[in-house]
Amino acid sequence: MKTIKQLTILLSLLTLTLPASSTTAATPPHKNVILMIMDGTNSDILTLSRWYRGTDLKLDTILRGGVRTYSAQSAITDSAAAGSAMATGVKTKADYIGMNPDRRPVLTVLEGAKLSGYRTGIVSTSPIQHATPAAFTSHVLNRDEFGDIGEQQVYQGLDVVLGGGGAWLKPQTKEPTKDDDGMLKTKQVSREDGENLYEEIHSSGYELVRKRDGLLRGISSQKLWGVFADEDISYELDRPHLNPDEPSLAEMTRAAIDRLSQGGKGFFLMVEGSKVDWAAHKNDPVGMISEVLSFDDAVREALDFARKDGNTMVVAVTDHGNSGLTLGNHGTNGDYKSLPADRFIKPLKKARLTVKGATSQLKQDRSNLKEVLSSYGLGDLSKKEFGRMEAAKSVDDLENEMVKLMAERANLGFTTHGHTGEDVFLYSYGPGKPVGLIENTDIPRVISAYMGFSLGTGPFATWYVDGMTYYRDRGYEVSVEGRTSKNPLMVAKRDGEVLRFPENKDFYWRNDEKVGLKSVNVYDGETFYVHVAD
């Protein structure tokens, strides 16, 4: 039997032979978080997508619980309030982006990560100015303020930005567009203030890529901004056929991870699969499946990285339900017990394009209507069914008839063209992961705790202050110049010193000196909110 002295000597020798990294904690391990949001997705479309693919989803392997989605004012949330809850840890009102119910900006988990020394990025198949990516990167009272959102995003200092939304980075044009997220609103595309934010992106050191091949070639710059569409990126089912220069969500996710993981303390990445929601608003089951499977492919990229890395938390969730899709409808009341999965899937698999992709090919004189219908899997219509299509007065009416017929053939039901209020699935993997039935506001709290900071206590809890009151209390004369203009300024004057804070920028002017700030300036139409470092 060895003596205590002999054991001590053996332990000392063993210690000498260990690698230096095993005996010192001088360099703490990096920590990464990938938060993935599948917008507007209910549980039945996940079931249907699994049957469609014929194998389990990658999401299935990390199912851990559920998430409650209600907002501060409603049992059924919109994407702005839901995104803001997941970004800030605060329930808020519909249309509010990064603002609490009292109209004050609240620091987001992405901003907290950036201020704590982590690299940050966002990926989206919608315009990046849309509600969910906006909620992590900006602060406005109305989600439709794409110009202000886009400007704040450019001045936030993110390391990677990939998605659509190029129209709101360039000066104003006269070309109107239709919002395709189911709301059927007409918007003015491009910036009303006439600013060219592409110039700021270039001057800030980003490598700007506009096409898929440029993204896949690999990027040398530390900062990457990818703009692959003026508005949204195509549905994945349509993309290879109609817009092959656009990357897939999985490709953008892989590129973002590759760039963000190159050294440093770690990173926070938010990835949104935006267009399950858009297809759900249209009640298009083909489009919904397209985007669920696209998102699942992106989840595979995140999990492959996380499993190799060992220090990466992956959280995947949807922000709310949409459409009330059901496997089964009033037509299946009598025979649902004898309906195999093929009776739901076969009609859907006949579609080569989503309903939006199919109707985008429709000629003005509708001479190719049969070909368009066939591309959506409706190539064998009866005379009565084809008459329904011919009678549609507008493209929107035609799409509505097409998806109704597809749902009939696939034995599917829909309860609404809007959102729904059910709890949604929680998927998670890695150290510190959330589990169980949680509130959507718990997500940023779990993430920030893992990354070593708090949004609810300390300096981050009161990061933004009412700048007008703050400077008045210190003897400044404070006013807002250009209050009704597209580029208002807060101006504070005292003893020959003039401070000028431009809306949405991360700096102010002290007389002729430009002074950088750690956050963007936020103006809600009445009050300027700024960060003041005491």
Side-chain angles (χ1 to χ4, degrees):
M1 180 178 292
K2 293 182 173 61
T3 66
I4 294 176
K5 183 176 181 180
Q6 288 173 318
L7 289 172
T8 302
I9 293 172
L10 285 172
L11 287 171
S12 299
L13 291 171
L14 179 61
T15 301
L16 289 174
T17 62
L18 289 173
S21 60
S22 299
T23 60
T24 178
T27 303
H30 63 273
K31 294 181 177 181
N32 310 314
V33 174
I34 306 172
L35 174 59
M36 310 186 74
I37 300 172
M38 183 167 41
D39 201 293
T41 308
N42 73 335
S43 61
D44 275 32
I45 192 59
L46 290 159
T47 304
L48 192 62
S49 298
R50 188 183 301 112
W51 283 117
Y52 185 98
R53 175 162 276 179
T55 62
D56 287 347
L57 304 176
K58 290 297 179 183
L59 286 165
D60 297 334
T61 66
I62 57 169
L63 179 61
R64 298 289 182 264
V67 179
R68 303 176 69 187
T69 63
Y70 62 94
S71 74
Q73 67 182 149
S74 175
I76 301 176
T77 188
D78 80 322
S79 291
S84 295
M86 291 187 286
T88 68
V90 176
K91 297 270 188 182
T92 194
K93 295 180 180 180
D95 296 329
Y96 281 21
I97 295 288
M99 306 284 267
N100 71 15
D102 296 325
R103 300 168 54 103
R104 296 180 67 93
V106 186
L107 202 72
T108 73
V109 67
L110 182 147
E111 291 174 303
K114 178 170 67 72
L115 291 165
S116 300
Y118 293 92
R119 305 190 74 201
T120 57
I122 58 172
V123 173
S124 178
T125 51
S126 70
I128 60 166
Q129 302 86 2
H130 241 253
T132 303
F136 287 82
T137 54
S138 63
H139 308 273
V140 295
L141 290 176
N142 191 320
R143 58 180 289 178
D144 288 336
E145 296 175 16
F146 279 22
D148 287 338
I149 292 167
E151 188 171 15
Q152 289 186 33
Q153 289 173 327
V154 168
Y155 284 92
Q156 278 283 17
L158 283 71
D159 297 283
V160 174
V161 179
L162 301 174
W168 291 276
L169 299 174
K170 60 188 178 183
Q172 186 173 7
T173 67
K174 296 181 179 179
E175 299 175 3
T177 188
K178 182 178 292 182
D179 185 1
D180 191 35
D181 63 357
M183 302 307 172
L184 303 179
K185 296 183 292 186
T186 299
K187 289 182 179 179
Q188 183 71 39
V189 174
S190 69
R191 301 193 54 76
E192 293 180 350
D193 61 10
E195 291 190 39
N196 188 340
L197 293 180
Y198 280 117
E199 294 179 355
E200 180 63 29
I201 290 170
H202 281 295
S203 65
S204 297
Y206 288 96
E207 183 166 350
L208 181 66
V209 292
R210 305 296 299 270
K211 293 185 177 181
R212 176 175 179 265
D213 60 353
L215 183 70
L216 300 185
R217 277 200 304 267
I219 307 299
S220 58
S221 173
Q222 287 293 305
K223 300 177 71 176
L224 170 63
W225 198 299
V227 184
F228 304 106
D230 270 355
E231 297 177 67
D232 54 293
I233 291 175
S234 302
Y235 291 101
E236 181 58 24
L237 187 63
D238 302 336
R239 183 187 61 79
H241 309 288
L242 305 181
N243 291 293
D245 282 339
E246 298 174 355
S248 69
L249 182 63
E251 289 167 343
M252 290 192 291
T253 300
R254 186 190 319 129
I257 292 171
D258 287 347
R259 179 53 40 200
L260 292 171
S261 61
Q262 294 186 14
K265 183 176 181 178
F267 66 83
F268 173 84
L269 172 64
M270 192 289 297
V271 177
E272 187 197 27
S274 318
K275 294 181 64 174
V276 184
D277 182 77
W278 294 31
H281 277 301
K282 289 181 175 295
N283 286 183
D284 175 16
V286 176
M288 294 168 74
I289 290 171
S290 162
E291 300 312 285
V292 168
L293 297 182
S294 170
F295 184 84
D296 197 57
D297 290 342
V299 169
R300 182 191 63 237
E301 296 290 342
L303 290 177
D304 285 349
F305 172 81
R307 287 176 176 132
K308 293 175 184 176
D309 177 72
N311 294 306
T312 298
M313 178 198 298
V314 177
V315 179
V317 69
T318 184
D319 54 351
H320 55 76
N322 193 338
S323 81
L325 170 74
T326 58
L327 276 77
N329 54 31
H330 288 297
T332 64
N333 286 344
D335 63 350
Y336 65 87
K337 290 183 288 185
S338 60
L339 289 178
D342 278 355
R343 291 284 295 275
F344 299 93
I345 297 304
K346 279 187 176 180
L348 302 172
K349 286 206 167 184
K350 291 180 180 179
R352 302 187 305 276
L353 298 172
T354 69
V355 72
K356 182 65 179 178
T359 59
S360 72
Q361 305 304 296
L362 185 65
K363 295 179 180 179
Q364 190 169 1
D365 63 1
R366 298 199 178 191
S367 59
N368 65 334
L369 178 58
K370 288 186 177 180
E371 290 84 354
V372 166
L373 295 170
S374 179
S375 70
Y376 187 62
L378 301 175
D380 54 346
L381 303 188
S382 68
K383 185 175 180 180
K384 182 178 179 180
E385 289 171 334
F386 188 70
R388 284 169 55 184
M389 307 301 159
E390 285 188 307
K393 294 181 179 180
S394 67
V395 173
D396 292 330
D397 291 339
L398 175 61
E399 290 180 353
N400 195 40
E401 291 298 331
M402 291 168 68
V403 297
K404 282 182 180 179
L405 184 54
M406 179 61 79
E408 291 171 13
R409 292 187 169 194
N411 300 293
L412 303 176
F414 288 94
T415 63
T416 178
H417 283 278
H419 293 181
T420 52
E422 72 272 23
D423 298 341
V424 298
F425 290 134
L426 169 67
Y427 306 92
S428 60
Y429 173 85
K433 64 182 180 292
V435 297
L437 178 61
I438 65 174
E439 296 282 354
N440 54 8
T441 50
D442 291 329
I443 292 172
R445 295 170 189 162
V446 170
I447 291 172
S448 58
Y450 175 63
M451 301 186 90
F453 62 89
S454 172
L455 295 174
T457 61
F460 288 172
T462 55
W463 189 258
Y464 284 100
V465 301
D466 177 344
M468 302 171 76
T469 299
Y470 178 90
Y471 283 100
R472 283 193 184 114
D473 289 347
R474 284 153 180 78
Y476 286 83
E477 178 186 343
V478 182
S479 62
V480 177
E481 290 185 359
R483 184 182 291 271
T484 60
S485 73
K486 302 302 179 185
N487 287 296
L489 297 159
M490 183 182 80
V491 181
K493 299 179 181 179
R494 185 184 68 180
D495 300 332
E497 180 185 52
V498 180
L499 310 179
R500 300 169 67 85
F501 293 79
E503 180 191 26
N504 302 326
K505 305 290 199 299
D506 65 341
F507 62 84
Y508 70 97
W509 295 97
R510 181 189 292 123
N511 295 336
D512 294 328
E513 177 191 6
K514 185 178 180 180
V515 182
L517 294 169
K518 293 182 178 180
S519 297
V520 295
N521 305 314
V522 178
Y523 181 51
D524 68 358
E526 297 177 4
T527 303
F528 257 91
Y529 293 95
V530 300
H531 172 66
V532 180
D534 291 325

